[in-house]
Amino acid sequence: MERLLDKHWHHIEADEVAQFLDVDPGKGLDELEVEQRLKHFGENVITGKKGRTNLERFLLQFHQPLVYILIAAGLVTAYLGEWVDSLVILAVVLVNAVVGYIQEAKAVKALDSLSASMSTEAVVFRAGSSDRIPASGVVPGDVVLLRSGDKVPADLRILSGKELRIDESALTGESLPVDKEPGRLPPDAVLAERRCMAYAGTLVSYGQGRGVVVATGNHTEIGRISGLIEAADELETPLTRKITRFSHMLLIAILCLAAASFVLGLIRSEPVNEMFMAAVALAVGAIPEGLPAAVTIILALGVSRMAGRKAIIRKLPAVETLGGTTVICSDKTGTLTENQMTVQEIRCGGRAYTVSGDGYGYDGAISAADGGEAGGRALEECMRAGLLCNDARIYMKEGRPAVEGDPTEGALVVSARKYGLEREAESSAFARVDELPFESEWQYMATLHNHEGGRVVYLKGAVEKVLECCMDALSESGEGMELDVEAVVREQHELASRGLRVLAFARKDLDADGGLVRSDACMGMTFVGLQGMIDPPRKEAISAIAACQHAGVKVKMITGDHALTAEAIGLRLGLRGGDCQLGEDCPVLTGREIADLSDHDLVEKAPGIPVFARVSPEQKLRLVLALQKTGEVCAMTGDGVNDAPALKQADIGVAMGITGTEVAKEAADMVLTDDNFATIEAAVEEGRGVFANLVKFIAWTLPTNAGEGLVILTAILFGATLPILPVQILWINMTTAACLGMMLAFEPREPGIMDRPPRDPARPILDRTMLRRVGIVSVLLLVCAFGLFKWELLNGASIEKARTMAVNVFVVVEAFYLFNARSFTRSPFALGFMSNPWVVGGFALMMALQGAFTYAPFMNTLFSSAPVDVFDWGKIILCGLAVYGIVEFDKKRTQSDV
């Protein structure tokens, strides 16, 4: 029995499937057989692999090089007896670990959400009678009854159906409900085309049917997706990769310098205790204690800003990752399009009409393509047929129009209203007395109406089926004319080639009394016209895509819809592939074509393709992997269960907040509250601003640590007294990071940030220009601090005062350098000093604290500081101004652009 679960069930006749599964569809399984199969196959639930325990996940938060450095700093300061500083540093480590643990714990809920999606009930036919049971009790071979509103409990082979339609959008991405019928299909039929199958987790939107269970639990399509989610790598973001690399380099440099200084002192016969303290001072000075906290705060502020722009960030590093995104793979329905079918073209009475307005709102009008007046009997009857042969209703939901019923029928209600036909008035004048519901076998729907003492039949359906039922056509004036079938077919193909879904309409007057029978609809009808509809692109998505492409971010549309529809939408959106516009040079790639490509070929081909259609969950995952192998930083949007593996694998997964499933949201890094692609473009802009501020903070803070290290190293090399003590180093590092550096987190985005190309993922956090600038400021700090320290000693100052001068030099130079760091290319005067008032406020606060450090007696006792006079402050401020001027000169000379 186990091997049967791998069969191509859609390629086997329904009665043969029942034989394979040893079940009589007319009776179902008996209870004994059910019990045996339940023991063999297990419950119909998704089971995941055993994950890490809560304790393991928490302890792994400390497994980072920078955290090791901070722990070392905390232990060193504790060894030095500075318990307050030690506790502060270790508290920062603990807070970072708790935040990381909470974020990871949320992601673990993804598989739980998958299991919950199958926690429902099912109606099964067993031992000759139907019974409602928990879906977890369904076994292979069970006969399941499906009705409108049911959730499919397991993967089924359809045995029979009556007008059965199933919404599979969460699994396949297909935007419209799929008609289901029992006929077998070719073995290579892709998931979205398997009309004889029903899959676990999908919803029955119309009709009823019966199917036999062919797969349960992990063997279902949704179960395989669970496996894909588990198999997807837990990727580091570009930021965490760079911070890790930077931390490794910093750790090695600090240890090497501290060890070298200690050994050098021993070689020179310096006292062991003094050299040990000097090595400790060097290590403490080089450790950027404020960096992890600053990264967290800057990212958190980015989260707050993005929330204001309708993007909810679930994982902090995703803020920065957005700024480095090089390609966005977007779902079509609802994200790039309105998710509201709209009639846009009408053909009737020998004339062509266009319909303005998008979605289910009534704004818009019908106009003739030839410039004449839109009207005539044929147009009126075409609109009336679409309105009356229709079961949909337009209503207001949360302040916007929505459809109750089939989206296609909703579009017809709206087009009729734009012509001027009111639903209530028409239904009163043409009272419906009977109907022939849509059936996949006949491909049309017909309704019978009483009107002015007579009766009229309206017909709506597939073009080829409606034409078979028609003997003539309605002219513009309302008279009968010869039906030109070839002309109608040409018009249909012309509309379909532009991605429109085309429906045909017909009418017939009846004389006889009685109900509506199939012969009334399938012969003698009068053709009245065609209506072509499409889910139109969002206007804001068009401009957002243009902005992304201008910024060097490639946009690719990945959808479960047909290739023609996908291409039509892609053309309207202005999608590009590589250096070419969507079209002949940049064709649409289908899921079937992707299946024929090797992984190597897909890596070669994927970057140049702007639109992918009829794509399966595995193929979405393959596409993301292929793009990542080319070095792209990939953002992936999605809303369905089928999107979850790709969302997790992508550098940043973006889920839809309105239409998204819980599985998609839990697997994603970011959730859009408005399901709008334009929000992604806004988030990319915010992400670039966040990363720019991170780089500014790092470029600002490194000179302090490097300068402190150089001062200590120079003192060791020359056998001089330490100009600054370890406790003073901690004061400098902690206060300047909090009062000065953190103010860069509030720096507004610089103009033209979306005119720049994306950052190269391989590019380091600081490029050569920035490293050179860090080196310049570090050397200037060394010269100023060490120079003033020696100057004061030579002029008879106490060691406490000389060290206070050195500490104040570090603080004042960093304060002036803060204004330089606000932009790598523009001066503070060009930016406006008050464009970021936090910087000015932080400057004032820092000076107040430094005044307390210098003059407060208890601070003099704690930090071995001493008061200085006004003339001394003049020398210190002169050092700050000199560094500020040199950096501004270097900025203008290089005109670097980060």
Side-chain angles (χ1 to χ4, degrees):
M1 175 69 74
E2 192 74 43
R3 64 183 181 85
L4 296 178
L5 298 179
D6 298 324
K7 282 187 172 293
H8 291 295
W9 297 108
H10 59 277
H11 184 55
I12 305 174
E13 293 290 354
D15 55 350
E16 294 180 28
V17 172
Q19 292 176 17
F20 278 131
L21 295 172
D22 194 21
V23 61
D24 180 356
K27 293 176 58 180
L29 300 173
D30 58 42
E31 291 301 324
L32 180 61
E33 182 65 22
V34 168
E35 189 175 325
Q36 291 177 345
R37 296 191 184 192
L38 194 59
K39 289 180 181 179
H40 181 76
F41 292 105
E43 288 192 332
N44 180 33
V45 295
I46 293 175
T47 57
K49 64 181 180 183
K50 184 179 179 181
R52 296 188 180 103
T53 65
N54 291 334
L55 179 61
E56 288 173 332
R57 288 204 304 272
F58 179 71
L59 292 177
L60 283 173
Q61 304 303 318
F62 297 94
H63 185 51
Q64 302 175 44
L66 197 57
V67 173
Y68 294 152
I69 297 174
L70 284 173
I71 292 174
L75 295 176
V76 167
T77 51
Y79 177 82
L80 293 172
E82 301 297 330
W83 297 106
V84 174
D85 295 316
S86 176
L87 290 174
V88 168
I89 294 171
L90 294 176
V92 169
V93 173
L94 182 61
V95 168
N96 284 336
V98 170
V99 170
Y101 169 77
I102 291 172
Q103 295 296 327
E104 184 175 342
K106 289 180 179 179
V108 173
K109 293 180 180 179
L111 290 178
D112 295 336
S113 295
L114 270 172
S115 296
S117 71
M118 295 184 66
S119 299
T120 183
E121 292 187 332
V123 178
V124 295
F125 194 70
R126 291 176 175 172
S129 62
S130 61
D131 189 20
R132 182 173 291 274
I133 65 169
S136 59
V138 170
V139 297
D142 257 328
V143 176
V144 175
L145 307 181
L146 299 175
R147 292 182 176 85
S148 180
D150 288 349
K151 179 180 284 188
V152 180
D155 287 2
L156 311 177
R157 175 61 166 86
I158 300 297
L159 299 174
S160 62
K162 183 177 181 182
E163 305 170 38
L164 181 62
R165 299 180 209 168
I166 296 181
D167 180 357
E168 297 181 332
S169 58
L171 186 65
T172 67
E174 175 67 63
S175 56
L176 295 174
V178 179
D179 297 320
K180 295 296 181 177
E181 54 189 18
R184 76 170 190 164
L185 296 168
D188 60 350
V190 297
L191 194 68
E193 296 174 351
R194 297 176 186 173
R195 300 163 67 93
C196 61
M197 299 291 297
Y199 293 103
T202 60
L203 294 170
V204 180
S205 60
Y206 195 79
Q208 58 187 13
R210 178 181 296 214
V212 60
V213 175
V214 296
T216 58
N218 288 359
H219 294 284
T220 63
E221 288 295 323
I222 197 174
R224 290 194 309 105
I225 291 173
S226 168
L228 292 173
I229 295 177
E230 288 184 347
D233 296 330
E234 288 285 355
L235 296 182
E236 290 184 304
T237 70
L239 175 65
T240 55
R241 284 195 294 265
K242 290 171 183 175
I243 291 291
T244 300
R245 188 160 53 245
F246 171 74
S247 301
H248 277 119
M249 294 171 60
L250 191 60
L251 178 62
I252 293 170
I254 289 171
L255 294 177
C256 289
L257 280 174
S261 64
F262 182 74
V263 171
L264 179 62
L266 294 180
I267 292 173
R268 295 175 54 181
S269 300
E270 299 285 350
V272 174
N273 287 347
E274 288 186 14
M275 293 316 303
F276 178 73
M277 293 305 295
V280 166
L282 177 61
V284 172
I287 294 171
E289 290 91 348
L291 182 57
V295 169
T296 300
I297 290 171
I298 291 173
L299 292 177
L301 285 172
V303 167
S304 178
R305 288 176 178 173
M306 288 185 181
R309 302 185 75 171
K310 300 183 179 180
I312 306 300
I313 300 297
R314 297 185 62 253
K315 301 172 185 177
L316 279 182
V319 180
E320 177 276 333
T321 311
L322 274 165
T325 298
T326 60
V327 59
I328 301 172
C329 298
S330 178
D331 192 20
K332 177 186 75 70
T333 304
T335 308
L336 295 173
T337 64
E338 296 281 358
N339 196 21
Q340 296 185 346
M341 293 296 288
T342 307
V343 173
Q344 296 193 332
E345 302 279 350
I346 302 170
R347 301 286 189 271
C348 57
R351 297 181 69 188
Y353 301 89
T354 59
V355 185
S356 61
D358 292 332
Y360 298 133
Y362 295 136
D363 295 335
I366 299 174
S367 57
D370 57 15
E373 183 178 351
R377 180 73 188 288
L379 178 60
E380 180 178 340
E381 285 298 292
C382 185
M383 296 294 96
R384 181 170 286 121
L387 178 63
L388 296 178
C389 191
N390 192 316
D391 292 322
R393 182 178 70 89
I394 303 298
Y395 68 103
M396 297 303 292
K397 181 181 180 182
E398 298 178 357
R400 59 178 296 182
V403 64
E404 180 184 283
D406 192 296
T408 300
E409 293 190 337
L412 299 175
V413 173
V414 173
S415 66
R417 176 66 178 270
K418 290 176 181 177
Y419 179 74
L421 299 182
E422 296 280 354
R423 182 64 177 264
E424 291 185 4
E426 291 298 313
S427 296
S428 176
F430 293 82
R432 184 189 295 189
V433 293
D434 201 0
E435 67 177 283
L436 293 175
F438 178 90
E439 291 185 19
S440 55
E441 177 185 357
W442 298 98
Q443 293 291 301
Y444 64 72
M445 172 184 180
T447 53
L448 177 63
H449 305 263
N450 285 331
H451 178 61
E452 296 180 351
R455 298 192 308 160
V456 59
V457 177
Y458 286 109
L459 183 71
K460 172 193 80 207
V463 177
E464 61 276 12
K465 292 294 184 181
V466 172
L467 287 176
E468 290 176 4
C469 300
C470 295
M471 66 175 183
D472 61 359
L474 193 66
S475 68
E476 184 180 4
S477 62
E479 298 177 357
M481 65 178 186
E482 184 180 354
L483 175 62
D484 189 341
V485 174
E486 292 184 0
V488 173
V489 171
R490 283 196 303 270
E491 289 180 326
Q492 176 207 5
H493 289 167
E494 187 264 326
L495 295 174
S497 69
R498 291 190 276 121
L500 274 70
R501 184 181 186 189
V502 185
L503 291 178
F505 303 86
R507 71 178 305 281
K508 181 172 70 171
D509 292 317
L510 284 183
D511 296 326
D513 294 330
L516 183 62
V517 296
R518 188 68 60 183
S519 59
D520 291 331
C522 67
M523 63 178 65
M525 301 292 294
T526 297
F527 177 80
V528 295
L530 304 174
Q531 293 192 54
M533 64 197 71
I534 198 169
D535 181 10
R538 291 177 180 258
K539 292 183 176 65
E540 60 270 30
I542 296 174
S543 58
I545 287 173
C548 285
Q549 293 180 156
H550 176 71
V553 180
K554 296 180 282 292
V555 179
K556 299 182 183 297
M557 186 172 76
I558 303 177
T559 177
D561 274 341
H562 292 281
L564 274 177
T565 302
E567 183 176 27
I569 294 295
L571 286 168
R572 295 188 186 196
L573 290 167
L575 292 177
R576 298 178 62 86
D579 296 324
C580 59
Q581 193 74 23
L582 176 63
E584 293 183 4
D585 294 332
C586 298
V588 174
L589 197 65
T590 65
R592 190 165 293 171
E593 292 168 328
I594 292 172
D596 294 335
L597 293 174
S598 66
D599 288 342
H600 178 269
D601 291 339
L602 187 59
V603 170
E604 293 288 324
K605 198 173 181 87
I609 301 294
V611 176
F612 301 85
R614 285 299 196 197
V615 176
S616 69
E618 295 94 334
Q619 290 167 343
K620 288 186 178 184
L621 190 58
R622 282 188 68 199
L623 284 171
V624 172
L625 288 167
L627 292 168
Q628 287 173 332
K629 284 181 181 177
T630 64
E632 303 280 9
V633 177
C634 185
M636 171 75 188
T637 77
D639 56 3
V641 174
N642 62 320
D643 297 319
L647 289 174
K648 187 178 179 185
Q649 176 64 42
D651 295 281
I652 175 164
V654 184
M656 303 298 110
I658 299 174
T659 60
T661 61
E662 287 303 313
V663 177
K665 292 175 187 177
E666 291 294 340
D669 305 288
M670 183 174 84
V671 178
L672 305 184
T673 61
D674 60 354
D675 290 12
N676 195 337
F677 182 87
T679 302
I680 303 175
E681 187 264 336
V684 169
E685 185 179 26
E686 287 290 349
R688 289 189 174 192
V690 166
F691 187 77
N693 288 347
L694 276 172
V695 174
K696 290 171 186 176
F697 176 85
I698 294 171
W700 171 85
T701 195
L702 285 185
T704 302
N705 302 109
E708 290 165 344
L710 287 174
V711 166
I712 301 299
L713 188 60
T714 301
I716 293 171
L717 289 173
F718 289 99
T721 304
L722 293 180
I724 45 179
L725 297 173
V727 68
Q728 293 171 337
I729 290 172
L730 283 170
W731 167 263
I732 295 170
N733 291 354
M734 300 303 288
T735 56
T736 56
C739 299
L740 299 177
M742 290 302 180
M743 302 306 109
L744 292 171
F746 300 95
E747 192 67 29
R749 296 185 308 276
E750 292 187 52
I753 199 168
M754 287 299 284
D755 293 333
R756 308 171 186 173
R759 296 188 315 274
D760 183 348
R763 182 181 178 181
I765 294 178
L766 300 179
D767 62 9
R768 291 182 180 178
T769 302
M770 284 298 98
L771 288 173
R772 188 188 73 251
R773 190 168 297 168
V774 168
I776 290 173
V777 178
S778 302
V779 171
L780 289 173
L781 276 169
L782 166 66
V783 172
C784 293
F786 200 88
L788 270 183
F789 172 76
K790 297 300 289 184
W791 176 274
E792 292 299 317
L793 289 179
L794 289 173
N795 284 278
S798 65
I799 187 68
E800 289 81 10
K801 179 183 176 182
R803 282 173 171 161
T804 303
M805 292 288 286
V807 170
N808 280 322
V809 164
F810 269 97
V811 171
V812 170
V813 167
E814 282 293 281
F816 277 93
Y817 179 50
L818 181 67
F819 290 98
N820 299 123
R822 288 185 60 199
S823 173
F824 297 121
T825 58
R826 308 172 74 197
S827 74
F829 295 97
L831 292 172
F833 277 93
M834 295 307 295
S835 61
N836 183 358
W838 291 90
V839 169
V840 178
F843 183 94
L845 177 60
M846 188 69 247
M847 292 304 101
L849 288 173
Q850 206 58 29
F853 173 88
T854 306
Y855 298 109
F858 77 95
M859 297 289 276
N860 297 155
T861 301
L862 284 173
F863 293 100
S864 300
S865 59
V868 299
D869 57 30
V870 175
F871 181 70
D872 294 325
W873 277 111
K875 290 182 285 186
I876 294 168
I877 292 172
L878 189 61
C879 289
L881 289 171
V883 172
Y884 171 83
I886 292 171
V887 172
E888 283 302 307
F889 174 77
D890 180 66
K891 192 185 291 185
K892 288 185 178 180
R893 185 178 66 84
T894 58
Q895 288 296 303
S896 60
D897 187 11
V898 178

